[in-house]
Amino acid sequence: MTKTIQANQFDDISFGALTGSLRDFKAKQGTDMLGRTDGFFHWQEERRRCDLWPYAKSTATAPRTHCAAKTDGGALMEGVNFASQDYLSLSSHPAIKEAATEAIKEYGVHSAGSAALLGNTRHSLLLEKRITEFLDGRETVLYPTGWSAGFAAIQGFVRPDDHVVMDVLAHSCLQEGARASTRNIHFHGHLNVRAMERRLQKIRANDTENGILLVTESLFSMHSDTPDIAAMRALCDEYNAVLLVDCAHDFGSMADDGRGHMSLQNVLHDVDIIIGSFSKTFASNGGFISVKDRATAEYLKYYSATQTFSNALSPVQAATVLAAFEIVDSSEGRDRRRKLMDNILYMRSEMGKVGLETLGDPSAIVPVRVGAEGLARIASRDLSNLGAIANLVEYPAVPQGGARFRVQVMSDHSHEDVDKLVVLMLQAMRSAEKEYLSLCDDHPSLMKNQRAAAQFADCVRDAA
């Protein structure tokens, strides 16, 4: 089904709605701190006027494979849903909903305290033990969100004279945790092991006294690619560094045993600090940090700010995640992961058949390249109008001129769902190409993005 309102005619689209990025408004200066927000809001409103603001949608029904949603302006859309993070389709699973209901009956809905001050419940204590068992005896500390766990894993351990070496595409929570801890932050090229080694070598040549934390993700969500974790472990051993891996997107949803790339690469015991998120596979907000001994875990509980000074997971959340772990670590969980991977491989194959370029490696995230930001904004609008929901990602979250759809696959999707998305995405991109190239004729300054648009046009013409 389509949106209940029609898109603007393309001759009404302004130059400003096709250009600019969030980065343009981040570092504004001047004494009027609050007034500095005006420029962003005017740009945002212009994109809304042209129906080219794709963010802040809300679901009007449960986030299943087909759902209804609204724009932040209230326009209704509905159709096949590839925008929700529910990789094993557990958020509406009957056992999950029953566990949440029973927890409410027993505890109510709120933890009413931090974990240090009476915020734990029977469910959260059982969840810590369950994750510890799942990770072969590691000690586990729970956090109210995955973001807070990522931030805490760095802020809790790193001190001002220490060093953090991290991938240039590391998640916001990891970068902000590093900035809160030290000025000694050393970025390296994405997945570049040789660049990692150069950074470590240079640090140790000048500093043999302080700690080094080497930070990566097991699956980078914007690119769907993964590092060589064993090679990173070897570098840590050589340069006396600690290895941190954020497993937000593959933990629970990948590998036959559900342990993600740590299992696929056989490196579970080689990682010093493991970060996990519940929001992608385990049907709830929340996250955890897993370490190798109790002393390290106890230190985190009292020196990582987002644990000590945040209310603990609610009993509903803890019970939900606990029930999800029982499914993930069962034959049903294995079946769901296999069905998920079947959908992923089928989608990537079908996208390729029609000339749409998927990036990275097979995972529940399938990035589909578009190119120029203006082109991508029009394609996103058209895709929603046609009856498919997928998230647009643009600069600065991805490289400039590298805008893409971040398609998110669920185990409950059918091949028919995938077929529909592929047809509608190709249709949206073809119509967007025609419109964008016409606008480039009217606005010559848009031609600086023409290279990216032309690359996409070649792709579409090959498919036709």
Side-chain angles (χ1 to χ4, degrees), residues 169-200:
L169 297 185
H171 192 271
S172 163
C173 65
L174 305 173
Q175 295 197 33
E176 293 303 321
R179 292 189 183 104
S181 306
T182 180
R183 299 179 66 178
N184 301 325
I185 304 171
H186 313 263
F187 290 101
H188 62 78
H190 183 49
L191 302 185
N192 190 328
V193 175
R194 299 182 82 176
M196 294 177 208
E197 183 169 20
R198 288 195 295 270
R199 302 294 186 278
L200 292 166

mmCIF file of all heavy atoms in Angstrom, residues 169-200:
data_model
loop_
_atom_site.group_PDB
_atom_site.id
_atom_site.type_symbol
_atom_site.label_atom_id
_atom_site.label_comp_id
_atom_site.label_asym_id
_atom_site.label_seq_id
_atom_site.Cartn_x
_atom_site.Cartn_y
_atom_site.Cartn_z
ATOM 1 N N LEU A 169 35.633 4.016 11.616
ATOM 2 C CA LEU A 169 34.181 3.860 11.515
ATOM 3 C C LEU A 169 33.569 3.280 12.784
ATOM 4 O O LEU A 169 32.417 2.839 12.777
ATOM 5 C CB LEU A 169 33.835 2.960 10.315
ATOM 6 C CG LEU A 169 34.233 3.487 8.938
ATOM 7 C CD1 LEU A 169 33.728 2.548 7.848
ATOM 8 C CD2 LEU A 169 33.703 4.899 8.704
ATOM 9 N N ALA A 170 34.315 3.308 13.892
ATOM 10 C CA ALA A 170 33.771 2.799 15.144
ATOM 11 C C ALA A 170 32.505 3.552 15.525
ATOM 12 O O ALA A 170 32.355 4.749 15.257
ATOM 13 C CB ALA A 170 34.808 2.911 16.256
ATOM 14 N N HIS A 171 31.602 2.857 16.198
ATOM 15 C CA HIS A 171 30.300 3.414 16.551
ATOM 16 C C HIS A 171 30.439 4.635 17.447
ATOM 17 O O HIS A 171 31.409 4.793 18.194
ATOM 18 C CB HIS A 171 29.470 2.337 17.261
ATOM 19 C CG HIS A 171 28.025 2.691 17.428
ATOM 20 N ND1 HIS A 171 27.552 3.378 18.520
ATOM 21 C CD2 HIS A 171 26.951 2.463 16.625
ATOM 22 C CE1 HIS A 171 26.241 3.551 18.394
ATOM 23 N NE2 HIS A 171 25.848 3.000 17.254
ATOM 24 N N SER A 172 29.431 5.481 17.408
ATOM 25 C CA SER A 172 29.389 6.703 18.220
ATOM 26 C C SER A 172 29.655 6.421 19.691
ATOM 27 O O SER A 172 30.385 7.178 20.351
ATOM 28 C CB SER A 172 28.019 7.374 18.049
ATOM 29 O OG SER A 172 27.776 8.307 19.077
ATOM 30 N N CYS A 173 29.061 5.370 20.259
ATOM 31 C CA CYS A 173 29.239 5.111 21.689
ATOM 32 C C CYS A 173 30.695 4.844 22.030
ATOM 33 O O CYS A 173 31.179 5.227 23.107
ATOM 34 C CB CYS A 173 28.363 3.936 22.138
ATOM 35 S SG CYS A 173 28.758 2.326 21.422
ATOM 36 N N LEU A 174 31.430 4.214 21.106
ATOM 37 C CA LEU A 174 32.840 3.914 21.336
ATOM 38 C C LEU A 174 33.676 5.187 21.206
ATOM 39 O O LEU A 174 34.574 5.447 22.019
ATOM 40 C CB LEU A 174 33.317 2.847 20.359
ATOM 41 C CG LEU A 174 32.506 1.542 20.367
ATOM 42 C CD1 LEU A 174 32.958 0.619 19.239
ATOM 43 C CD2 LEU A 174 32.652 0.832 21.709
ATOM 44 N N GLN A 175 33.386 5.987 20.201
ATOM 45 C CA GLN A 175 34.135 7.235 20.025
ATOM 46 C C GLN A 175 33.884 8.199 21.174
ATOM 47 O O GLN A 175 34.821 8.835 21.681
ATOM 48 C CB GLN A 175 33.751 7.876 18.690
ATOM 49 C CG GLN A 175 34.156 7.048 17.475
ATOM 50 C CD GLN A 175 34.144 7.846 16.191
ATOM 51 O OE1 GLN A 175 34.431 9.042 16.189
ATOM 52 N NE2 GLN A 175 33.839 7.189 15.082
ATOM 53 N N GLU A 176 32.636 8.302 21.611
ATOM 54 C CA GLU A 176 32.337 9.208 22.713
ATOM 55 C C GLU A 176 32.924 8.702 24.029
ATOM 56 O O GLU A 176 33.367 9.495 24.866
ATOM 57 C CB GLU A 176 30.824 9.400 22.839
ATOM 58 C CG GLU A 176 30.191 10.132 21.670
ATOM 59 C CD GLU A 176 30.805 11.505 21.428
ATOM 60 O OE1 GLU A 176 31.111 12.207 22.414
ATOM 61 O OE2 GLU A 176 30.993 11.870 20.254
ATOM 62 N N GLY A 177 32.948 7.397 24.228
ATOM 63 C CA GLY A 177 33.603 6.836 25.407
ATOM 64 C C GLY A 177 35.078 7.153 25.432
ATOM 65 O O GLY A 177 35.647 7.482 26.489
ATOM 66 N N ALA A 178 35.710 7.092 24.262
ATOM 67 C CA ALA A 178 37.131 7.427 24.179
ATOM 68 C C ALA A 178 37.359 8.911 24.467
ATOM 69 O O ALA A 178 38.269 9.280 25.220
ATOM 70 C CB ALA A 178 37.665 7.058 22.799
ATOM 71 N N ARG A 179 36.527 9.776 23.881
ATOM 72 C CA ARG A 179 36.693 11.223 24.092
ATOM 73 C C ARG A 179 36.476 11.613 25.551
ATOM 74 O O ARG A 179 37.074 12.572 26.042
ATOM 75 C CB ARG A 179 35.733 11.987 23.190
ATOM 76 C CG ARG A 179 36.064 11.885 21.708
ATOM 77 C CD ARG A 179 35.213 12.824 20.870
ATOM 78 N NE ARG A 179 35.509 12.657 19.452
ATOM 79 C CZ ARG A 179 34.736 12.014 18.593
ATOM 80 N NH1 ARG A 179 33.600 11.472 19.011
ATOM 81 N NH2 ARG A 179 35.080 11.891 17.324
ATOM 82 N N ALA A 180 35.630 10.877 26.240
ATOM 83 C CA ALA A 180 35.384 11.170 27.645
ATOM 84 C C ALA A 180 36.524 10.712 28.543
ATOM 85 O O ALA A 180 36.578 11.098 29.713
ATOM 86 C CB ALA A 180 34.084 10.490 28.099
ATOM 87 N N SER A 181 37.437 9.914 27.987
ATOM 88 C CA SER A 181 38.448 9.264 28.817
ATOM 89 C C SER A 181 39.861 9.803 28.617
ATOM 90 O O SER A 181 40.640 9.872 29.565
ATOM 91 C CB SER A 181 38.447 7.755 28.532
ATOM 92 O OG SER A 181 37.162 7.208 28.690
ATOM 93 N N THR A 182 40.211 10.133 27.392
ATOM 94 C CA THR A 182 41.594 10.491 27.091
ATOM 95 C C THR A 182 41.669 11.340 25.831
ATOM 96 O O THR A 182 40.771 11.274 24.984
ATOM 97 C CB THR A 182 42.446 9.223 26.894
ATOM 98 O OG1 THR A 182 43.805 9.593 26.602
ATOM 99 C CG2 THR A 182 41.920 8.362 25.755
ATOM 100 N N ARG A 183 42.741 12.116 25.727
ATOM 101 C CA ARG A 183 43.011 12.836 24.478
ATOM 102 C C ARG A 183 43.858 12.000 23.540
ATOM 103 O O ARG A 183 44.067 12.382 22.381
ATOM 104 C CB ARG A 183 43.725 14.152 24.787
ATOM 105 C CG ARG A 183 42.895 15.101 25.661
ATOM 106 C CD ARG A 183 43.637 16.386 25.971
ATOM 107 N NE ARG A 183 43.857 17.192 24.775
ATOM 108 C CZ ARG A 183 44.449 18.382 24.774
ATOM 109 N NH1 ARG A 183 44.884 18.901 25.916
ATOM 110 N NH2 ARG A 183 44.597 19.052 23.662
ATOM 111 N N ASN A 184 44.318 10.856 24.019
ATOM 112 C CA ASN A 184 45.214 10.012 23.218
ATOM 113 C C ASN A 184 44.404 8.998 22.410
ATOM 114 O O ASN A 184 44.398 7.802 22.676
ATOM 115 C CB ASN A 184 46.200 9.285 24.132
ATOM 116 C CG ASN A 184 47.035 10.235 24.953
ATOM 117 O OD1 ASN A 184 47.405 11.312 24.491
ATOM 118 N ND2 ASN A 184 47.338 9.857 26.191
ATOM 119 N N ILE A 185 43.705 9.512 21.403
ATOM 120 C CA ILE A 185 42.871 8.667 20.543
ATOM 121 C C ILE A 185 43.534 8.582 19.173
ATOM 122 O O ILE A 185 43.861 9.604 18.564
ATOM 123 C CB ILE A 185 41.458 9.241 20.419
ATOM 124 C CG1 ILE A 185 40.825 9.417 21.816
ATOM 125 C CG2 ILE A 185 40.578 8.319 19.562
ATOM 126 C CD1 ILE A 185 39.512 10.171 21.790
ATOM 127 N N HIS A 186 43.712 7.367 18.701
ATOM 128 C CA HIS A 186 44.441 7.128 17.455
ATOM 129 C C HIS A 186 43.539 6.347 16.503
ATOM 130 O O HIS A 186 43.289 5.155 16.704
ATOM 131 C CB HIS A 186 45.726 6.330 17.716
ATOM 132 C CG HIS A 186 46.540 6.852 18.865
ATOM 133 N ND1 HIS A 186 47.614 7.695 18.695
ATOM 134 C CD2 HIS A 186 46.428 6.650 20.216
ATOM 135 C CE1 HIS A 186 48.135 7.993 19.881
ATOM 136 N NE2 HIS A 186 47.424 7.364 20.821
ATOM 137 N N PHE A 187 43.032 7.017 15.468
ATOM 138 C CA PHE A 187 42.169 6.342 14.497
ATOM 139 C C PHE A 187 43.009 5.692 13.405
ATOM 140 O O PHE A 187 44.067 6.199 13.024
ATOM 141 C CB PHE A 187 41.194 7.342 13.873
ATOM 142 C CG PHE A 187 40.130 7.821 14.827
ATOM 143 C CD1 PHE A 187 40.241 9.066 15.430
ATOM 144 C CD2 PHE A 187 39.029 7.027 15.114
ATOM 145 C CE1 PHE A 187 39.262 9.523 16.306
ATOM 146 C CE2 PHE A 187 38.050 7.476 15.997
ATOM 147 C CZ PHE A 187 38.164 8.715 16.592
ATOM 148 N N HIS A 188 42.507 4.591 12.889
ATOM 149 C CA HIS A 188 43.175 3.936 11.755
ATOM 150 C C HIS A 188 42.143 3.671 10.662
ATOM 151 O O HIS A 188 40.924 3.668 10.901
ATOM 152 C CB HIS A 188 43.856 2.632 12.178
ATOM 153 C CG HIS A 188 42.905 1.595 12.718
ATOM 154 N ND1 HIS A 188 42.105 0.822 11.905
ATOM 155 C CD2 HIS A 188 42.631 1.210 13.996
ATOM 156 C CE1 HIS A 188 41.384 0.009 12.647
ATOM 157 N NE2 HIS A 188 41.672 0.218 13.913
ATOM 158 N N GLY A 189 42.631 3.427 9.451
ATOM 159 C CA GLY A 189 41.749 3.143 8.321
ATOM 160 C C GLY A 189 40.893 1.926 8.581
ATOM 161 O O GLY A 189 41.288 0.987 9.289
ATOM 162 N N HIS A 190 39.729 1.911 7.984
ATOM 163 C CA HIS A 190 38.741 0.872 8.244
ATOM 164 C C HIS A 190 39.294 -0.526 7.948
ATOM 165 O O HIS A 190 39.749 -0.805 6.833
ATOM 166 C CB HIS A 190 37.504 1.133 7.396
ATOM 167 C CG HIS A 190 36.386 0.176 7.639
ATOM 168 N ND1 HIS A 190 35.934 -0.142 8.900
ATOM 169 C CD2 HIS A 190 35.617 -0.552 6.770
ATOM 170 C CE1 HIS A 190 34.942 -1.014 8.809
ATOM 171 N NE2 HIS A 190 34.738 -1.273 7.534
ATOM 172 N N LEU A 191 39.285 -1.369 8.975
ATOM 173 C CA LEU A 191 39.716 -2.779 8.910
ATOM 174 C C LEU A 191 41.173 -2.951 8.484
ATOM 175 O O LEU A 191 41.580 -4.046 8.101
ATOM 176 C CB LEU A 191 38.817 -3.576 7.946
ATOM 177 C CG LEU A 191 37.314 -3.589 8.243
ATOM 178 C CD1 LEU A 191 36.600 -4.515 7.259
ATOM 179 C CD2 LEU A 191 37.020 -3.999 9.664
ATOM 180 N N ASN A 192 41.970 -1.893 8.599
ATOM 181 C CA ASN A 192 43.343 -1.922 8.100
ATOM 182 C C ASN A 192 44.283 -2.396 9.208
ATOM 183 O O ASN A 192 44.693 -1.624 10.085
ATOM 184 C CB ASN A 192 43.738 -0.523 7.611
ATOM 185 C CG ASN A 192 45.040 -0.510 6.854
ATOM 186 O OD1 ASN A 192 45.939 -1.310 7.133
ATOM 187 N ND2 ASN A 192 45.160 0.395 5.910
ATOM 188 N N VAL A 193 44.646 -3.668 9.171
ATOM 189 C CA VAL A 193 45.494 -4.262 10.212
ATOM 190 C C VAL A 193 46.883 -3.633 10.208
ATOM 191 O O VAL A 193 47.482 -3.403 11.267
ATOM 192 C CB VAL A 193 45.569 -5.787 10.028
ATOM 193 C CG1 VAL A 193 46.543 -6.408 11.039
ATOM 194 C CG2 VAL A 193 44.182 -6.414 10.199
ATOM 195 N N ARG A 194 47.409 -3.333 9.044
ATOM 196 C CA ARG A 194 48.746 -2.727 8.974
ATOM 197 C C ARG A 194 48.736 -1.334 9.586
ATOM 198 O O ARG A 194 49.687 -0.924 10.253
ATOM 199 C CB ARG A 194 49.218 -2.681 7.521
ATOM 200 C CG ARG A 194 49.322 -4.060 6.884
ATOM 201 C CD ARG A 194 49.821 -3.997 5.470
ATOM 202 N NE ARG A 194 51.271 -3.896 5.418
ATOM 203 C CZ ARG A 194 51.984 -3.908 4.292
ATOM 204 N NH1 ARG A 194 51.373 -4.005 3.120
ATOM 205 N NH2 ARG A 194 53.290 -3.820 4.328
ATOM 206 N N ALA A 195 47.644 -0.613 9.374
ATOM 207 C CA ALA A 195 47.534 0.716 9.992
ATOM 208 C C ALA A 195 47.417 0.593 11.506
ATOM 209 O O ALA A 195 47.976 1.414 12.252
ATOM 210 C CB ALA A 195 46.328 1.458 9.420
ATOM 211 N N MET A 196 46.694 -0.402 11.982
ATOM 212 C CA MET A 196 46.636 -0.655 13.428
ATOM 213 C C MET A 196 48.042 -0.860 13.982
ATOM 214 O O MET A 196 48.404 -0.298 15.024
ATOM 215 C CB MET A 196 45.821 -1.918 13.730
ATOM 216 C CG MET A 196 44.365 -1.873 13.410
ATOM 217 S SD MET A 196 43.632 -3.496 13.772
ATOM 218 C CE MET A 196 42.274 -3.497 12.608
ATOM 219 N N GLU A 197 48.800 -1.687 13.302
ATOM 220 C CA GLU A 197 50.143 -1.996 13.791
ATOM 221 C C GLU A 197 51.021 -0.748 13.820
ATOM 222 O O GLU A 197 51.792 -0.539 14.767
ATOM 223 C CB GLU A 197 50.796 -3.070 12.928
ATOM 224 C CG GLU A 197 52.170 -3.482 13.439
ATOM 225 C CD GLU A 197 52.719 -4.707 12.757
ATOM 226 O OE1 GLU A 197 52.244 -5.043 11.646
ATOM 227 O OE2 GLU A 197 53.639 -5.337 13.326
ATOM 228 N N ARG A 198 50.900 0.113 12.805
ATOM 229 C CA ARG A 198 51.698 1.342 12.800
ATOM 230 C C ARG A 198 51.343 2.227 13.985
ATOM 231 O O ARG A 198 52.218 2.809 14.619
ATOM 232 C CB ARG A 198 51.483 2.090 11.479
ATOM 233 C CG ARG A 198 52.142 1.443 10.265
ATOM 234 C CD ARG A 198 52.207 2.393 9.084
ATOM 235 N NE ARG A 198 50.873 2.748 8.591
ATOM 236 C CZ ARG A 198 50.221 2.076 7.652
ATOM 237 N NH1 ARG A 198 50.774 1.002 7.102
ATOM 238 N NH2 ARG A 198 49.027 2.467 7.242
ATOM 239 N N ARG A 199 50.050 2.320 14.283
ATOM 240 C CA ARG A 199 49.642 3.130 15.437
ATOM 241 C C ARG A 199 50.204 2.547 16.738
ATOM 242 O O ARG A 199 50.752 3.269 17.580
ATOM 243 C CB ARG A 199 48.111 3.193 15.542
ATOM 244 C CG ARG A 199 47.387 3.741 14.334
ATOM 245 C CD ARG A 199 47.682 5.215 14.079
ATOM 246 N NE ARG A 199 46.857 5.717 12.986
ATOM 247 C CZ ARG A 199 47.115 5.571 11.693
ATOM 248 N NH1 ARG A 199 48.205 4.896 11.316
ATOM 249 N NH2 ARG A 199 46.317 6.077 10.775
ATOM 250 N N LEU A 200 50.079 1.252 16.912
ATOM 251 C CA LEU A 200 50.559 0.601 18.134
ATOM 252 C C LEU A 200 52.080 0.725 18.269
ATOM 253 O O LEU A 200 52.606 0.980 19.358
ATOM 254 C CB LEU A 200 50.150 -0.872 18.135
ATOM 255 C CG LEU A 200 48.644 -1.136 18.275
ATOM 256 C CD1 LEU A 200 48.330 -2.589 17.931
ATOM 257 C CD2 LEU A 200 48.177 -0.822 19.690
#
